[in-house]
Amino acid sequence: MTSPTPLHFHVPEPASRPGGKPDFSGVSIPKAGSVRRPPVDVPPEEIRDLAYSIIRVLNHEGRAIGPWVPDLAQDELVAGLRHMMTLRTFDARMQMAQRQGKTSFYMQHTGEEAVSCAFRIALGPDDMNFPTYRQAGLLIAHDYPLVDMMCQIYSNEHDPLKGRQLPVMYSSKKHGFFSISGNLATQFVQAVGWAMASAIKRDNRIAAAWIGDGSTAESDFHAALVFASTYKAPVVLNVVNNQWAISTFQGIARGGSGTFAARGLGIPALRVDGNDYLATYAVAKWAIERARLNLGPTLIEYVTYRAGAHSTSDDPSAYRPKHESEEWPLGDPVIRLKQHLIAAGAWSEERHKQTEAEVHATVIAAQKEAEAFGTLHSGGKPSARDIFEDVYAELPPHLRRQRQQIGV
Amino acid sequence: MTSPTPLHFHVPEPASRPGGKPDFSGVSIPKAGSVRRPPVDVPPEEIRDLAYSIIRVLNHEGRAIGPWVPDLAQDELVAGLRHMMTLRTFDARMQMAQRQGKTSFYMQHTGEEAVSCAFRIALGPDDMNFPTYRQAGLLIAHDYPLVDMMCQIYSNEHDPLKGRQLPVMYSSKKHGFFSISGNLATQFVQAVGWAMASAIKRDNRIAAAWIGDGSTAESDFHAALVFASTYKAPVVLNVVNNQWAISTFQGIARGGSGTFAARGLGIPALRVDGNDYLATYAVAKWAIERARLNLGPTLIEYVTYRAGAHSTSDDPSAYRPKHESEEWPLGDPVIRLKQHLIAAGAWSEERHKQTEAEVHATVIAAQKEAEAFGTLHSGGKPSARDIFEDVYAELPPHLRRQRQQIGV
Amino acid sequence: MPRMTMIEAIRSALDVSMARNDDVVVYGEDVGFFGGVFRCTQGLQQKYGVSRCFDAPISESGIVGTAIGMAAYGLRPCIEIQFADYMYPAYDQIVSEAARLRYRSAGDFTCPLVIRMPTGGGIFGGQTHSQSPEALFTHVSGLKTVVPSNPYDAKGLLIAAIEDPDPVIFLEPKRLYNGPFDGHHDRPVTAWARHELSEVPEGHYTTPLGKAVTRRAGEAVTILAYGTMVHVALAAVEETGVDAEVIDLRTLLPLDLETIVASVAKTGRCIVLHEATLTSGFGAELTALVQEHCFYHLEAPVMRVTGWDTPYPHAQEWDYFPGPARLGQALRDIVETR
Amino acid sequence: MPRMTMIEAIRSALDVSMARNDDVVVYGEDVGFFGGVFRCTQGLQQKYGVSRCFDAPISESGIVGTAIGMAAYGLRPCIEIQFADYMYPAYDQIVSEAARLRYRSAGDFTCPLVIRMPTGGGIFGGQTHSQSPEALFTHVSGLKTVVPSNPYDAKGLLIAAIEDPDPVIFLEPKRLYNGPFDGHHDRPVTAWARHELSEVPEGHYTTPLGKAVTRRAGEAVTILAYGTMVHVALAAVEETGVDAEVIDLRTLLPLDLETIVASVAKTGRCIVLHEATLTSGFGAELTALVQEHCFYHLEAPVMRVTGWDTPYPHAQEWDYFPGPARLGQALRDIVETR
Ligand SMILES: Cc1ncc(C[n+]2csc(CCOP(=O)(O)OP(=O)(O)O)c2C)c(N)n1
Ligand SMILES: Cc1ncc(C[n+]2csc(CCOP(=O)(O)OP(=O)(O)O)c2C)c(N)n1
Ligand SMILES: [Mg+2]
Ligand SMILES: [Mg+2]
């Protein structure tokens, strides 16, 4: 009965490492249009298989096919493309600004633009996102001013968060964007609480929770699933699987099941091609409608790829093959939507180039405006007084004493 | 798109409450012998359905049938019966001792005796359990001295834990029984770490983690699953679903899936009739063998019923129908094993009565012996010095000063 | 005026708050149908429905995390952690989230949240039903921390906490739930009914956060205490005959430093009393503040009488608990020091 | 002797420990293949294999929880929490489990475990990469807490911690990783190579836990500091010309009270310095101890120079950080007090 051979310790390793050839043969990708679309009130147990597949709409030629083709007009798609292009340009400029010492830190979205941009369009105006640091698309696709984002990144005198937060940790209630925490996963369960509150108040607002693949290992991911499932909270539980958590590949968080969508607790789960704007929108819409109709939570895994570094403090060439991102089988979300629009006769290379130039000009104009209010180490600054405000609604005596000590 | 009807808040409720009729119609119970027995090296994805069924061996007439009938000789079964009877008698005596003020607190196992008693027999001598407070069967079935258990409960001068721990929070390395924490779920992930250590050292020892249905909502349950799944740790992850967590029914922790076994992460999961000594043993054996062969973790849900109060501080008649336990469809584990042995011609009512008397005498003798060493408020006591020992391996200066202050 | 136990007063505070404001919701482990293991929420589900008072999964982090989301939404959650000893799984949500939400968002999102937890020892609860973790909250900017010592204050402070715009940790000394307790564990248990502070108005009132109260005026030494220790202090003073001033802090943060300083300036001596372990306990902060603000008045070092720096033991509870004997000795010692 | 940065010294301590004892295992987020976000574990996986140095899921509670199980098994895990700010999800495992396992089991199970965490500010890390949570550990009986201030000590203390039979929290001031830092953020960064305490033996040695060291002898006032603040203290002393004695505590618990008391008894004045927020910070405990043990020597109240009672802000980092200007003012003030 007892095995005579000793145990051995198993540590998962990614398919390839620096110096090796990128290898995505382990990622099995169903054909676009091949996954069925159940009604939103489907009993969860009837769609367990969807947690192991990938819903895709755009095929190789850029055609939208199958039951998940969303009801989006071409001008809406063009707007979506512009959102993604804006985000990408914004990223490039801010990355450079960090390199120029204008701020301390930045985090890019490269390769993942479709996820947050498409989701925001599917959401209603009164709903609330509980984002991580990699969903600025939720702001951009909702017309939050680029200047305000930049002022936050520069921690300058117009920073809406008064210099208190690390760059990219935006917050805007008006734009349905909950304050970002530096602590991973905490927001996931807060989203569930917000959704529960909406149901308790008999309102009709829903919440969207966001988390990365690596962070699903955190405890609060589990707490969120337990509470969402127990109280059938009107929340969409979004897992952005971009394959990496800093240097750690998704196999370290995913466990043996090969999917983040199959996390049980009876929550219906969908897996979607996160680089396919149309599929992402369609799946988001499905889950949002479910929540709105009081049918409870949905878990969505967006399969995508973090093409850039984790942050400006990171260099991925130390842990993955240099050109891995080029081999990513789901392609680039911007190029794929562009090609779809071209295939549909609604776009052209020229219009794309022209839009690129426009977007560039817009972002640069915003950057100029923001920099006029200061950057981290020069120009206008938030006040030292702001250190002591907003710790409490009212300044308590001990903070008043401390503020006096620095004479502000 | 947006529903005109407001959301409403859903709070799960048990099928019946005090004053109502017990109702277990929601618990669907497959026939004994009807669930298949896969080989231990089965790929987890091929047995996903087993997480939604219940493995049972003993049928209504007490016959053992089907592929899970374990390889246990009749004297082993008789020993198992005696373990369960001892635990039940022990419980009764200690419950009474608490009522008599001989200790502060006690927790019974009534109705759940098979789970820990059978599991211990399936485990090897060098393996380690990470138990909760409701698995004293692991000690009793491993011949840990009843007197030592009682001395712990009485916090007397022979208490192996020197009066420091709440009653029933036993600990014995030699008996493969990890120190019980008052904090729920923490031990679940520690068990995984212990198992990882065994694999790292290339030993052949395995760990068994224990948790209650209610406590699976805790974060550390998730952490344990993530780590066990990632490193294929040689651990058996036991969930004892006794339907209640103090006053809270299992629907509050279980989520929508109707099972604790289907928690995903690719860990193979079995669900078993926890009141069926043979089935419990067989399933435990299967999972233990899997771990021993380095095939990784198994999650087991034991479907059972907490027939008694949560603890001596609890009165279940406030939250569930008085006679609910009598309606529990999986019966009583002691009676079921007794009937099996009688049906097999290996036992009789007389031998049972006689054994009852013997067990009773043994427990009472142990109790006498233990009480000679003192009870909580009278007789021999651990020393006040013991407050300061074992905080660290060596007494640091500040604790020496404090000890001097009470002059011990 | 009706007489209430501490449990009844807390329940009344919840009841009054729920009746006045639909946004007040109450939940936690065993809190709904059953009414909580200490019965503080009994009857509230029946009265206000399952949407306002309900059972939660056993996940402290989930309980606090969802409450933060609810508070951000606009509700006023008043949640229960079954024992303060079990707050650790929620500590990240409390420290990194509830305490910082207003700051992080520059006031755009707020977190009006009350976290009730039974605290302290004296019930033979062993190491996981006896802890006093208040210092782990007072170190966290953005939290308020409250510890009532009697039914009247418990109700007034709890209502004030629920109405406060910021997160409040509300620690309920469980040994006081059913009666005052002065540390004389071998004397008969007394009921609240005979204590003047069990006279509790039925309706709405508040006891302001951040205000201490002098329970006994005295000239020889100041005792700073809160929760159960207020009763221990009064007993020790009576037994030793030392003319001590006993201050019941009620709120640890924000602290009523003025009352403390005025007293110590008068008495010139100070003893800090708490059940929690000594090192880095809240007594350290009180001692530091007193010596900073009253240095030239002090005639003896500030003394700390506290639990030992060990886990809270089961059998040796009364060797651990800083009862009237230990405080009495300290009182006699400090008045003799010069 | 080779020159090492703090990172190299820590890596060397791990390397030496892993080479001497097969039971030492090292893991954490990004710790394996990549070698940690601060590169403290670089090369260890290649040298000792994936069973001895590996990547962990992003679950601090899981990392500490599994390490406790491993330590109970007989291994000597030395794990990394990526930033001290992220230890909160593991706080339950640290406080309720690691710290109490020996006590609970009367010595039957033990927990020889080291938890390394980068701590402190000075890198524009904002509120979740700058915290100094040491007081949340010193309040917990059963833990030891260590904070090195230089490469030599870092290596010696880390080896001692790994060899210690009890759980040790090892806080690494991240601003010191690559060079000493005295708080003058606008001056050029200096490298460790020019600092005498960057001379670090390659092989095995230990620096005992529980022993402070006097970095500068002086007569006018005692400064108690640890980590980055040791360098701030030395800078402020030099700039003010105040003849201060600077004590580097190195271990916060167990504390070297003897060294502290001897110094304050001599100088009659004391300043406590730390980056953490003031209220209930470890400075409160130090202040309380100093006034208890040196009351009759003190000529001025013990002063605390610390971070403010707010979250750690991003842009206002240098208004928050208790640098040499703030300490210098305090030094001038305290020597004038009588
Ligand atoms: C509680 C906590 N632990 C660790 C970190 C450090 N950290 C920041 S981002 C990150 C990786 C997250 O990966 P993933 O969730 O996949 O998100 P992605 O960056 O890929 O979008 C880590 C470990 C943190 N911020 N919070
Ligand atoms: C962290 C923590 N939270 C809460 C408690 C209080 N508590 C003790 S037992 C219990 C119920 C546990 O139920 P379950 O896991 O189903 O185990 P059972 O008692 O049914 O065996 C609760 C809530 C605790 N001990 N620890
Ligand atoms: Mg990721
Ligand atoms: Mg249970």
Side-chain angles (χ1 to χ4, degrees):
Chain A
M1 172 84 356
T2 296
S3 151
T5 52
L7 297 163
H8 60 87
F9 188 55
H10 167 81
V11 180
E13 265 294 302
S16 60
R17 285 294 197 185
K21 243 182 79 65
D23 174 7
F24 289 110
S25 56
V27 190
S28 84
I29 296 173
K31 277 215 158 75
S34 67
V35 178
R36 76 183 187 285
R37 184 182 191 282
V40 294
D41 59 353
V42 64
E45 57 274 21
E46 285 175 22
I47 56 164
R48 278 190 205 129
D49 57 313
L50 295 192
Y52 298 87
S53 190
I54 302 183
I55 295 164
R56 307 179 64 231
V57 166
L58 292 175
N59 72 5
H60 270 305
E61 294 92 53
R63 300 270 166 208
I65 52 173
W68 286 93
V69 174
D71 183 24
L72 275 174
Q74 282 180 346
D75 59 338
E76 291 175 299
L77 288 175
V78 167
L81 182 61
R82 190 184 267 270
H83 293 147
M84 292 199 286
M85 291 166 75
T86 305
L87 178 52
R88 189 164 290 186
T89 308
F90 186 93
D91 271 350
R93 297 297 305 180
M94 291 297 101
Q95 178 86 2
M96 202 196 301
Q98 192 275 343
R99 295 290 180 233
Q100 293 165 339
K102 292 176 183 169
T103 184
S104 59
F105 181 78
Y106 189 70
M107 299 183 95
Q108 291 185 285
H109 303 72
T110 326
E112 303 175 39
E113 292 89 347
V115 179
S116 52
C117 289
F119 190 91
R120 179 66 255 190
I121 298 303
L123 208 59
D126 293 334
D127 300 332
M128 184 64 71
N129 284 289
F130 288 76
T132 82
Y133 45 74
R134 226 183 285 283
Q135 279 94 45
L138 297 172
L139 289 171
I140 286 179
H142 201 53
D143 296 327
Y144 184 78
L146 299 181
V147 178
D148 290 7
M149 292 172 73
M150 288 167 171
C151 289
Q152 196 283 322
I153 291 167
Y154 290 143
S155 287
N156 65 21
E157 67 189 12
H158 270 211
D159 172 4
L161 307 183
K162 304 188 177 173
R164 292 184 194 135
Q165 277 278 57
L166 205 63
V168 316
M169 301 285 168
Y170 318 106
S171 173
S172 172
K173 195 174 193 172
K174 199 173 137 212
H175 284 77
F177 194 95
F178 192 73
S179 156
I180 298 179
S181 175
N183 298 53
L184 296 171
T186 49
Q187 76 287 352
F188 214 66
V189 62
Q190 293 163 7
V192 175
W194 198 95
M196 288 166 69
S198 176
I200 288 170
K201 296 278 285 179
R202 309 219 60 192
D203 291 340
N204 199 249
R205 305 160 76 187
I206 70 159
W210 293 89
I211 200 167
D213 49 313
S215 308
T216 61
E218 285 287 6
S219 308
D220 285 341
F221 176 72
H222 176 65
L225 262 52
V226 170
F227 278 70
S229 165
T230 300
Y231 303 111
K232 295 204 166 92
V235 60
V236 183
L237 303 161
N238 295 305
V239 178
V240 183
N241 178 1
N242 64 2
Q243 313 298 317
W244 290 92
I246 311 185
S247 79
T248 305
F249 89 118
Q250 52 131 1
I252 292 282
R254 186 194 55 202
S257 66
T259 163
F260 287 87
R263 290 282 146 124
L265 291 110
I267 298 177
L270 304 176
R271 240 173 141 225
V272 60
D273 176 346
N275 289 11
D276 176 337
Y277 188 93
L278 281 80
T280 294
Y281 173 86
V283 165
K285 200 83 198 162
W286 189 91
I288 289 164
E289 196 182 332
R290 243 184 78 79
R292 193 91 67 201
L293 292 172
N294 216 45
L295 294 163
T298 308
L299 181 71
I300 305 177
E301 174 182 349
Y302 302 87
V303 182
T304 181
Y305 184 84
R306 195 196 79 208
H310 171 71
S311 73
T312 46
S313 315
D314 177 49
D315 172 13
S317 72
Y319 52 81
R320 65 187 192 189
K322 231 192 177 116
H323 301 291
E324 197 181 73
S325 82
E326 292 157 27
E327 306 290 323
W328 174 244
L330 295 176
D332 178 281
V334 175
I335 295 173
R336 283 175 70 195
L337 183 53
K338 168 189 163 198
Q339 280 169 350
H340 168 68
L341 284 167
I342 290 175
W347 201 242
S348 65
E349 289 291 353
E350 300 80 69
R351 283 191 61 186
H352 195 78
K353 279 232 169 68
Q354 187 193 328
T355 306
E356 233 162 34
E358 282 166 26
V359 160
H360 202 239
T362 310
V363 172
I364 288 194
Q367 190 177 2
K368 274 224 176 86
E369 194 182 334
E371 291 184 4
F373 300 124
T375 59
L376 181 58
H377 299 296
S378 73
K381 283 190 196 328
S383 148
R385 256 185 106 82
D386 285 325
I387 298 180
F388 301 95
E389 300 292 329
D390 293 328
V391 182
Y392 300 92
E394 265 180 63
L395 197 71
H398 67 290
L399 283 180
R400 174 156 303 127
R401 280 197 303 276
Q402 292 178 25
R403 194 175 70 183
Q404 276 160 8
Q405 272 185 58
I406 55 168
V408 288
Chain B
M1 172 80 359
T2 296
S3 150
T5 52
L7 296 163
H8 60 88
F9 188 55
H10 167 81
V11 180
E13 264 294 302
S16 59
R17 286 293 197 185
K21 243 183 78 67
D23 174 7
F24 289 109
S25 56
V27 189
S28 85
I29 296 173
K31 276 216 159 73
S34 66
V35 178
R36 76 182 187 286
R37 184 182 191 281
V40 294
D41 58 354
V42 64
E45 56 274 23
E46 285 175 22
I47 56 165
R48 278 190 205 130
D49 56 314
L50 296 192
Y52 298 87
S53 191
I54 302 183
I55 294 164
R56 306 179 64 231
V57 166
L58 293 175
N59 72 5
H60 270 306
E61 293 93 52
R63 301 271 165 205
I65 53 174
W68 286 93
V69 174
D71 183 22
L72 275 174
Q74 281 182 345
D75 60 336
E76 291 175 300
L77 288 176
V78 167
L81 182 61
R82 189 183 268 269
H83 293 147
M84 293 198 286
M85 291 167 74
T86 304
L87 179 51
R88 190 164 289 185
T89 307
F90 186 93
D91 271 350
R93 297 296 306 179
M94 291 298 102
Q95 178 86 2
M96 203 196 300
Q98 193 274 344
R99 295 289 180 234
Q100 293 164 341
K102 293 176 182 168
T103 184
S104 58
F105 182 76
Y106 189 70
M107 300 183 93
Q108 291 185 285
H109 304 73
T110 325
E112 304 175 38
E113 291 89 348
V115 178
S116 52
C117 289
F119 191 90
R120 177 67 254 190
I121 298 303
L123 208 59
D126 293 335
D127 300 333
M128 184 64 71
N129 284 289
F130 287 74
T132 83
Y133 45 74
R134 226 184 286 282
Q135 279 94 45
L138 296 172
L139 288 172
I140 285 178
H142 202 52
D143 296 328
Y144 185 78
L146 299 182
V147 178
D148 290 7
M149 293 171 72
M150 289 167 170
C151 289
Q152 197 283 323
I153 292 166
Y154 290 143
S155 287
N156 65 20
E157 66 189 12
H158 271 213
D159 172 4
L161 307 183
K162 304 190 177 173
R164 293 185 193 132
Q165 279 278 58
L166 206 63
V168 316
M169 301 285 169
Y170 318 106
S171 174
S172 171
K173 194 176 195 171
K174 199 174 137 214
H175 283 77
F177 194 96
F178 193 73
S179 156
I180 299 178
S181 176
N183 298 55
L184 296 171
T186 49
Q187 75 289 350
F188 215 66
V189 62
Q190 292 162 7
V192 175
W194 198 96
M196 287 166 70
S198 176
I200 288 170
K201 297 278 284 181
R202 310 218 61 194
D203 291 340
N204 200 249
R205 305 161 75 187
I206 70 158
W210 293 90
I211 200 167
D213 50 312
S215 307
T216 61
E218 285 287 7
S219 307
D220 284 342
F221 176 72
H222 176 65
L225 262 52
V226 170
F227 278 70
S229 164
T230 300
Y231 302 111
K232 294 204 165 91
V235 60
V236 183
L237 302 162
N238 295 306
V239 177
V240 183
N241 178 0
N242 65 1
Q243 313 299 316
W244 290 93
I246 310 185
S247 78
T248 306
F249 89 118
Q250 51 132 359
I252 292 282
R254 186 194 56 202
S257 67
T259 162
F260 287 87
R263 290 282 145 125
L265 291 111
I267 297 177
L270 304 175
R271 243 174 139 222
V272 61
D273 177 346
N275 289 11
D276 176 339
Y277 187 93
L278 282 81
T280 293
Y281 173 86
V283 165
K285 201 82 196 162
W286 189 91
I288 289 164
E289 196 182 332
R290 243 184 78 78
R292 193 91 66 200
L293 293 171
N294 215 47
L295 294 164
T298 307
L299 181 72
I300 305 177
E301 173 182 349
Y302 302 88
V303 182
T304 180
Y305 185 85
R306 194 196 80 208
H310 171 70
S311 72
T312 46
S313 315
D314 177 48
D315 172 14
S317 72
Y319 52 79
R320 65 186 193 190
K322 229 186 179 126
H323 301 289
E324 197 181 72
S325 83
E326 291 157 29
E327 306 291 321
W328 173 244
L330 295 175
D332 177 282
V334 175
I335 295 173
R336 282 176 71 194
L337 182 54
K338 169 189 161 198
Q339 278 168 349
H340 167 65
L341 284 167
I342 290 175
W347 202 244
S348 66
E349 288 292 352
E350 300 80 71
R351 283 191 61 187
H352 194 78
K353 279 233 169 69
Q354 185 193 326
T355 306
E356 235 163 32
E358 281 165 27
V359 162
H360 203 238
T362 310
V363 172
I364 288 193
Q367 190 177 3
K368 274 225 176 87
E369 193 181 335
E371 291 184 3
F373 300 123
T375 58
L376 181 59
H377 299 297
S378 73
K381 283 190 196 326
S383 148
R385 254 185 108 81
D386 286 323
I387 298 180
F388 301 96
E389 300 293 330
D390 294 327
V391 182
Y392 299 93
E394 265 181 62
L395 197 70
H398 68 289
L399 283 180
R400 173 154 306 127
R401 280 197 303 276
Q402 292 177 26
R403 195 175 70 184
Q404 275 160 7
Q405 273 186 59
I406 55 169
V408 288
Chain C
M1 226 175 324
R3 296 279 182 177
M4 293 189 195
T5 66
M6 194 111 150
I7 289 172
E8 289 160 346
I10 287 162
R11 196 187 294 145
S12 174
L14 294 171
D15 190 1
V16 165
S17 300
M18 291 176 90
R20 284 167 63 100
N21 185 350
D22 282 352
D23 289 336
V24 177
V25 295
V26 167
Y27 63 104
E29 294 157 19
D30 301 294
V31 153
F33 186 86
F34 184 57
V37 294
F38 288 105
R39 323 315 307 272
C40 290
T41 56
Q42 200 180 12
L44 299 177
Q45 182 174 85
Q46 285 82 333
K47 190 160 172 189
Y48 298 101
V50 287
S51 291
R52 306 266 318 273
C53 177
F54 53 91
D55 286 323
I58 305 176
S59 165
E60 290 75 15
S61 162
I63 292 169
V64 177
T66 52
I68 293 169
M70 289 184 196
Y73 190 96
L75 296 185
R76 296 258 167 180
C78 179
I79 55 179
E80 177 177 305
I81 299 290
Q82 201 161 80
F83 287 86
D85 318 58
Y86 303 141
M87 68 86 186
Y88 302 106
Y91 197 56
D92 190 31
Q93 286 287 349
I94 297 172
V95 173
S96 309
E97 303 295 318
R100 298 213 202 107
L101 186 54
R102 178 187 294 279
Y103 196 75
R104 241 163 56 187
S105 67
D108 197 19
F109 292 100
T110 62
C111 194
L113 171 65
V114 180
I115 311 182
R116 296 178 38 243
M117 336 181 175
T119 186
I123 61 153
F124 274 101
Q127 51 191 275
T128 56
H129 304 89
S130 307
Q131 292 168 44
S132 298
E134 62 272 13
L136 303 177
F137 300 118
T138 55
H139 189 44
V140 179
S141 313
L143 299 179
K144 298 182 177 178
T145 301
V146 175
V147 193
S149 71
N150 60 75
Y152 181 88
D153 281 358
K155 178 169 174 181
L157 289 165
L158 183 52
I159 296 176
I162 292 172
E163 296 174 359
D164 196 272
D166 288 308
V168 180
I169 307 293
F170 196 84
L171 297 168
E172 303 170 357
K174 65 179 87 66
R175 177 66 212 228
L176 298 183
Y177 271 149
N178 288 306
F181 175 67
D182 63 10
H184 284 296
H185 53 90
D186 32 18
R187 298 199 188 148
V189 175
T190 55
W192 274 116
R194 279 194 268 150
H195 194 287
E196 52 171 0
L197 291 169
S198 73
E199 280 199 21
V200 178
E202 297 222 32
H204 178 273
Y205 68 95
T206 60
T207 304
L209 306 189
K211 292 270 166 270
V213 65
T214 303
R215 294 284 171 215
R216 181 193 189 282
E219 299 294 328
V221 48
T222 301
I223 303 178
L224 303 180
Y226 46 94
T228 308
M229 288 298 124
V230 172
H231 304 272
V232 171
L234 292 169
V237 169
E238 188 165 318
E239 289 154 26
T240 54
V242 172
D243 183 24
E245 183 143 306
V246 177
I247 297 180
D248 179 352
L249 297 176
R250 299 200 291 201
T251 304
L252 308 192
L253 200 112
L255 184 70
D256 185 352
L257 188 59
E258 255 176 79
T259 300
I260 295 171
V261 170
S263 174
V264 179
K266 177 179 74 174
T267 62
R269 288 180 166 83
C270 180
I271 292 179
V272 173
L273 186 61
H274 61 60
E275 292 182 63
T277 50
L278 175 75
T279 298
S280 285
F282 189 62
E285 179 61 33
L286 291 172
T287 303
L289 287 171
V290 166
Q291 76 86 38
E292 276 160 32
H293 293 269
C294 309
F295 185 77
Y296 300 99
H297 296 283
L298 281 177
E299 288 167 47
V302 182
M303 282 177 77
R304 291 185 281 172
V305 178
T306 70
W308 307 119
D309 280 337
T310 75
Y312 200 110
H314 176 250
Q316 300 94 333
E317 170 136 51
W318 302 121
D319 296 308
Y320 184 91
F321 189 92
R326 216 141 91 206
L327 176 59
Q329 189 54 52
L331 277 172
R332 280 186 289 262
D333 289 349
I334 203 169
V335 290
E336 276 166 24
T337 327
R338 95 203 53 252
Chain D
M1 223 174 326
R3 296 280 182 176
M4 294 190 194
T5 66
M6 194 110 150
I7 289 174
E8 289 160 346
I10 287 163
R11 195 187 296 145
S12 174
L14 295 170
D15 190 0
V16 165
S17 300
M18 291 176 89
R20 283 167 63 100
N21 185 349
D22 282 352
D23 289 335
V24 177
V25 295
V26 167
Y27 63 104
E29 295 157 20
D30 301 294
V31 153
F33 187 87
F34 184 57
V37 294
F38 288 106
R39 324 313 308 271
C40 291
T41 57
Q42 199 180 13
L44 299 177
Q45 183 175 84
Q46 285 83 332
K47 190 161 172 189
Y48 298 101
V50 288
S51 290
R52 306 265 319 272
C53 177
F54 53 91
D55 286 324
I58 306 177
S59 164
E60 290 75 15
S61 162
I63 292 169
V64 176
T66 52
I68 293 169
M70 289 184 197
Y73 191 95
L75 296 185
R76 295 259 169 179
C78 179
I79 54 179
E80 178 177 306
I81 300 291
Q82 201 161 79
F83 287 86
D85 318 58
Y86 302 141
M87 68 85 186
Y88 302 105
Y91 197 56
D92 190 31
Q93 287 286 349
I94 296 172
V95 173
S96 310
E97 303 295 320
R100 298 214 201 108
L101 186 55
R102 178 188 294 279
Y103 196 74
R104 243 165 52 188
S105 67
D108 198 19
F109 292 100
T110 62
C111 194
L113 171 66
V114 179
I115 312 182
R116 297 178 39 244
M117 339 182 173
T119 185
I123 61 153
F124 274 101
Q127 52 191 275
T128 56
H129 304 88
S130 307
Q131 292 168 42
S132 298
E134 62 272 12
L136 302 177
F137 300 118
T138 54
H139 189 43
V140 179
S141 313
L143 299 180
K144 298 183 177 178
T145 300
V146 175
V147 193
S149 70
N150 59 75
Y152 182 87
D153 281 358
K155 178 169 174 180
L157 289 165
L158 182 52
I159 295 176
I162 291 172
E163 294 175 0
D164 196 90
D166 288 308
V168 180
I169 306 294
F170 195 85
L171 297 167
E172 303 171 359
K174 65 179 87 67
R175 177 66 211 228
L176 298 184
Y177 271 150
N178 288 306
F181 175 67
D182 62 9
H184 284 297
H185 52 90
D186 32 18
R187 297 198 190 150
V189 174
T190 55
W192 273 116
R194 278 194 268 149
H195 194 286
E196 54 172 358
L197 290 169
S198 73
E199 279 198 23
V200 177
E202 297 221 31
H204 177 273
Y205 68 94
T206 59
T207 304
L209 306 190
K211 292 271 165 268
V213 64
T214 303
R215 293 285 171 212
R216 181 194 188 282
E219 299 294 328
V221 49
T222 301
I223 304 178
L224 303 179
Y226 46 94
T228 308
M229 289 298 124
V230 172
H231 304 272
V232 171
L234 292 169
V237 168
E238 190 166 316
E239 290 154 27
T240 54
V242 172
D243 183 25
E245 183 142 305
V246 178
I247 296 180
D248 178 353
L249 296 177
R250 300 200 292 201
T251 303
L252 309 192
L253 200 114
L255 184 70
D256 185 352
L257 188 60
E258 254 175 81
T259 300
I260 295 170
V261 169
S263 174
V264 179
K266 177 178 74 172
T267 62
R269 288 178 166 83
C270 182
I271 293 180
V272 173
L273 186 61
H274 61 62
E275 293 181 62
T277 50
L278 176 76
T279 298
S280 284
F282 189 61
E285 179 61 33
L286 290 172
T287 304
L289 287 170
V290 166
Q291 76 86 38
E292 275 161 32
H293 292 269
C294 308
F295 186 76
Y296 300 99
H297 296 281
L298 281 178
E299 289 167 45
V302 182
M303 282 177 78
R304 292 184 281 173
V305 178
T306 71
W308 309 118
D309 280 337
T310 76
Y312 199 110
H314 175 251
Q316 301 93 333
E317 170 137 50
W318 303 120
D319 297 309
Y320 185 91
F321 188 91
R326 217 144 88 207
L327 176 58
Q329 189 56 53
L331 277 171
R332 281 187 288 263
D333 288 351
I334 203 169
V335 291
E336 277 167 26
T337 328
R338 99 205 50 251

